[in-house]
Amino acid sequence: MSAFSRNICSIATRTVRASAIRTARPIASSTLSRQSFRAPTAMAASFSTSATRRSNAPPSGVAREYDPEIKDMASYIHNTPIDSDLAFDTARWVMIDALGCGLEALKFESCTKQLGPTVEGTTVPNGPKVPGTPYILEPSKAAFNIGAMIRWLDFNDCWLAAEWGHPSDNLGAILAVADWISRTNRAGGSLGNGKVLKVKDVLEGMIKAHELQGVLALDNSYNKVGLDHVLLVKVASAAVVSKMLGLTEAQTRDAISHAWVDGQALRTYRHSPNTMSRKSWAAGDACQKAVDNVLKVMRGEPGVPTVLSAPVWGFYDVCFGGNKFSFQRPYGSYVMENVLFKVSYPAEFHSQTAVEAAKKINATLKSMGKSAEDIDSITNRTHEACIRIIDKQFKPMDNFADRDHCVQYMVSTMLVFNRLEATDYTDGGEAATSQLVESLRQRIKCVEDPQLTADYHDPSKRTIANALTVTLKDGTVLDEVLVEAPLGHKLRREEAKPEILKKFKRHLEIHYDQGRIDELVNLTEDLNKLQDMDVDKYVDLWATKQVTTKKVD
């Protein structure tokens, strides 16, 4: 039985393994210190919840100390200024790229049918607007809409470490709340500090959300205990949004604690046999819950101080095998400065370099007068995360979600059609129904190279390498094609910027007239002018009278 199963399914019969908790790796932050505690002694074989609560309860009127990890997060949000020009410049590109990906998702009915108000026709006074739509919603529902759009096509930014994720998912909560604050205060309200926020406030919020999500992911693998990375979106968004709404540092601790205490999403919807479209709106769901938790705290709901460390009932014991989080570095602006952009292909990030290698192989095959039909087999020398997430050589491709998380399918599609687009994942599409794609997919074998895995985790490299070796049916073995860093990696950032802008323009095309496109592009290229713009006025540029879509699924 797995560690996850032992901790969750058998919690009623196991004893507290205090020794395992005592030997967990120490937190590598100077401000974090281990809280000591005694495991309850009356739990040898079964638990009495009432007795446990009485024995661990603090004396009446005595405030409990928060877990140091949560105190650190709240302190960073309230007390750490961001003075990195590189971080703000990168955040600008992340924001327009994420919003552009959201517009592209509106082509898909599977996305648009999840959007809008809970009750059709509802409009909220001074509510935030949803880009590319006419919707004006209450803030948590707008956070869901924007978060789901951004994440739908798996085309926004990415962070790869012990845990994976997409930090721009947090923009769903940040932009919705910033827009709501600004519209309310412009109308005479007093949300937060009563001012109308600037786009720079959104960019700073993004930098801090990226940092919380990314640093919590560096050494700590949530996927290995079956949890989905959107947990970190909920935590990061709650922290940032709480400060935007004017909560105190103590209230931010409260909000963060509720994000950890929520029942967390399982990763099962990202993996066979349950791969499904929920993975596309999971980040929106996390954004919505983050905003909802903050609003509850804003109304006076207290927090859960030892939500992480409480014996038996805390996150560490219930969900993390009794281990505490490990921290590789203090919070700053490292994650935004090093985040990865998906520039070339709407594909799970661990496959980006494999698809780029396949495109190069296509050129070689063409120069030889050959094509994908002449390929006998392919070996992909890769890193461990690629194998664990998207190595699905013989698994059935039942839907869009299966295909965009299968490295073999993505490589085969590029080799057969010399392209990889979002429409190539749809049921009944040219790629999905291609017998050659399916046959070739099952002849691509992934093999881990420990050095590529080490480079993936190396803070000075963080490469995401794939290396394809093709054997033809006539016995010819082509030279291996290795791509270590995809376009959009920090090592190729300047090379990527013109392509990010082209991608952005493509995503705007069916939604706006040329004048509006030019206005949005010109703002993007002038960081100072963009940062100084009022958030609500900026969001107004993205609103439309109706959802413009081309039905492709």
Side-chain angles (χ1 to χ4, degrees):
M1 182 179 291
S2 67
F4 181 73
S5 298
R6 288 195 299 271
N7 285 321
I8 301 300
C9 300
S10 302
I11 192 168
T13 57
R14 70 175 177 85
T15 58
V16 179
R17 294 185 295 163
S19 61
I21 299 171
R22 285 195 297 270
T23 58
R25 291 182 293 174
I27 294 176
S29 169
S30 60
T31 62
L32 300 184
S33 61
R34 171 86 192 283
Q35 277 192 305
S36 61
F37 59 83
R38 290 188 305 161
T41 57
M43 298 185 188
S46 62
F47 300 128
S48 171
T49 56
S50 58
T52 300
R53 280 195 286 267
R54 285 198 300 271
S55 65
N56 285 329
S60 178
V62 177
R64 289 173 294 166
E65 277 291 312
Y66 261 84
D67 286 324
E69 300 91 328
I70 294 178
K71 291 169 68 175
D72 241 26
M73 294 176 208
S75 177
Y76 165 68
I77 290 296
H78 283 266
N79 304 315
T80 302
I82 302 298
D83 54 10
S84 166
D85 291 339
L86 175 58
F88 275 105
D89 178 66
T90 306
R92 168 254 306 255
W93 293 102
V94 169
M95 182 179 72
I96 64 103
D97 184 56
L99 291 174
C101 290
L103 295 180
E104 186 71 2
L106 296 178
K107 291 181 179 179
F108 293 81
E109 187 179 16
S110 56
C111 176
T112 58
K113 70 183 182 183
Q114 297 293 343
L115 305 182
T118 301
V119 178
E120 188 174 353
T122 301
T123 298
V124 178
N126 303 316
K129 296 183 178 181
V130 178
T133 81
Y135 302 136
I136 302 173
L137 307 175
E138 60 92 12
S140 63
K141 190 64 175 177
F144 173 86
N145 276 239
I146 300 170
M149 289 167 55
I150 287 171
R151 189 72 194 91
W152 200 268
L153 295 179
D154 203 356
F155 211 2
N156 56 320
D157 73 352
C158 192
W159 184 248
L160 306 178
E163 185 57 51
W164 321 293
H166 306 269
S168 61
D169 292 346
N170 292 284
L171 183 58
I174 295 168
L175 186 62
V177 170
D179 191 24
W180 174 50
I181 290 171
S182 299
R183 294 184 193 280
T184 300
N185 292 344
R186 190 181 295 280
S190 57
L191 283 175
N193 57 15
K195 73 174 184 177
V196 173
L197 299 177
K198 300 291 186 180
V199 172
K200 185 173 184 180
D201 295 310
V202 171
L203 298 182
E204 181 173 328
M206 292 172 63
I207 293 167
K208 290 196 170 185
H210 272 60
E211 191 73 0
L212 286 180
Q213 179 172 350
V215 169
L216 282 164
L218 286 173
D219 281 352
N220 306 296
S221 177
Y222 307 85
N223 63 80
K224 285 187 176 179
V225 293
L227 299 181
D228 193 30
H229 55 71
V230 296
L231 156 63
L232 300 181
V233 174
K234 184 166 45 176
V235 170
S237 286
V240 170
V241 165
S242 68
K243 183 174 185 294
M244 294 177 74
L245 282 166
L247 272 63
T248 65
E249 185 175 337
Q251 288 176 305
T252 295
R253 292 195 290 267
D254 294 340
I256 292 170
S257 75
H258 280 289
W260 287 110
V261 84
D262 276 353
Q264 308 304 343
L266 304 181
R267 279 190 64 87
T268 187
Y269 49 73
R270 298 189 188 277
H271 299 277
S272 180
N274 295 312
T275 315
M276 60 175 296
S277 57
R278 178 164 180 153
K279 72 182 181 62
S280 297
W281 56 259
D285 184 56
C287 289
Q288 181 173 13
K289 289 177 179 176
V291 175
D292 186 56
N293 280 331
V294 172
L295 294 179
K296 285 182 171 66
V297 170
M298 191 174 172
R299 297 185 188 104
E301 183 67 20
V304 189
T306 57
V307 60
L308 298 177
S309 66
V312 184
W313 311 116
F315 181 88
Y316 288 149
D317 269 10
V318 174
C319 296
F320 224 59
N323 295 305
K324 298 183 70 174
F325 297 146
S326 172
F327 290 84
Q328 190 180 106
R329 60 187 305 115
Y331 299 118
S333 55
Y334 172 81
V335 176
M336 182 62 81
E337 292 167 357
N338 290 274
V339 76
L340 301 160
F341 288 86
K342 285 188 180 180
V343 181
S344 303
Y345 312 109
E348 203 281 340
F349 211 97
H350 296 87
S351 71
Q352 292 282 319
T353 51
V355 178
E356 188 173 340
K359 189 170 184 65
K360 292 180 178 181
I361 289 168
N362 263 348
T364 299
L365 291 172
K366 184 176 180 180
S367 70
M368 299 170 63
K370 296 184 179 296
S371 69
E373 293 182 346
D374 298 297
I375 296 174
D376 179 69
S377 63
I378 299 174
T379 298
N380 180 26
R381 181 168 62 91
T382 188
H383 51 287
E384 184 270 344
C386 177
I387 292 174
R388 183 139 51 95
I389 306 170
I390 55 175
D391 178 12
K392 301 178 180 179
Q393 184 178 7
F394 299 114
K395 293 179 179 177
M397 297 289 100
D398 291 331
N399 52 43
F400 189 113
D402 277 323
R403 298 180 192 106
D404 80 344
H405 270 58
C406 174
V407 65
Q408 287 89 354
Y409 180 87
M410 292 179 271
V411 167
S412 297
T413 299
M414 174 55 73
L415 290 170
V416 173
F417 297 109
N418 200 37
R419 67 164 195 261
L420 184 62
E421 301 169 355
T423 51
D424 288 321
Y425 302 122
T426 57
D427 294 345
E430 184 180 28
T433 58
S434 168
Q435 291 299 312
L436 181 56
V437 167
E438 177 62 15
S439 172
L440 186 56
R441 179 179 78 85
Q442 297 189 32
R443 288 179 276 134
I444 301 175
K445 179 181 180 181
C446 289
V447 177
E448 182 190 357
D449 181 333
Q451 185 58 54
L452 297 186
T453 298
D455 292 345
Y456 174 92
H457 291 288
D458 186 338
S460 67
K461 294 181 179 179
R462 298 207 178 281
T463 49
I464 314 101
N466 284 278
L468 302 183
T469 301
V470 172
T471 300
L472 301 180
K473 291 177 180 177
D474 65 8
T476 302
V477 179
L478 304 185
D479 291 340
E480 181 185 76
V481 178
L482 167 67
V483 180
E484 294 185 271
L487 190 63
H489 191 282
K490 186 180 180 182
L491 296 174
R492 300 174 65 184
R493 182 67 50 78
E494 292 307 311
E495 178 188 354
K497 284 181 179 179
E499 299 304 318
I500 295 171
L501 195 60
K502 288 179 184 177
K503 175 186 172 186
F504 179 55
K505 291 177 181 178
R506 288 196 307 272
H507 290 167
L508 295 174
E509 284 175 354
I510 73 166
H511 300 278
Y512 309 106
D513 60 33
Q514 192 58 50
R516 182 59 52 83
I517 293 172
D518 291 342
E519 187 173 7
L520 287 167
V521 170
N522 291 338
L523 270 173
T524 296
E525 294 181 307
D526 188 338
L527 179 58
N528 290 331
K529 186 176 180 180
L530 176 66
Q531 289 185 135
D532 197 47
M533 193 167 187
D534 293 344
V535 169
D536 56 330
K537 299 302 182 184
Y538 182 65
V539 173
D540 283 343
L541 298 178
W542 292 82
T544 61
K545 293 182 179 180
Q546 62 183 15
V547 178
T548 304
T549 183
K550 293 180 179 179
K551 187 175 179 181
V552 292
D553 66 349

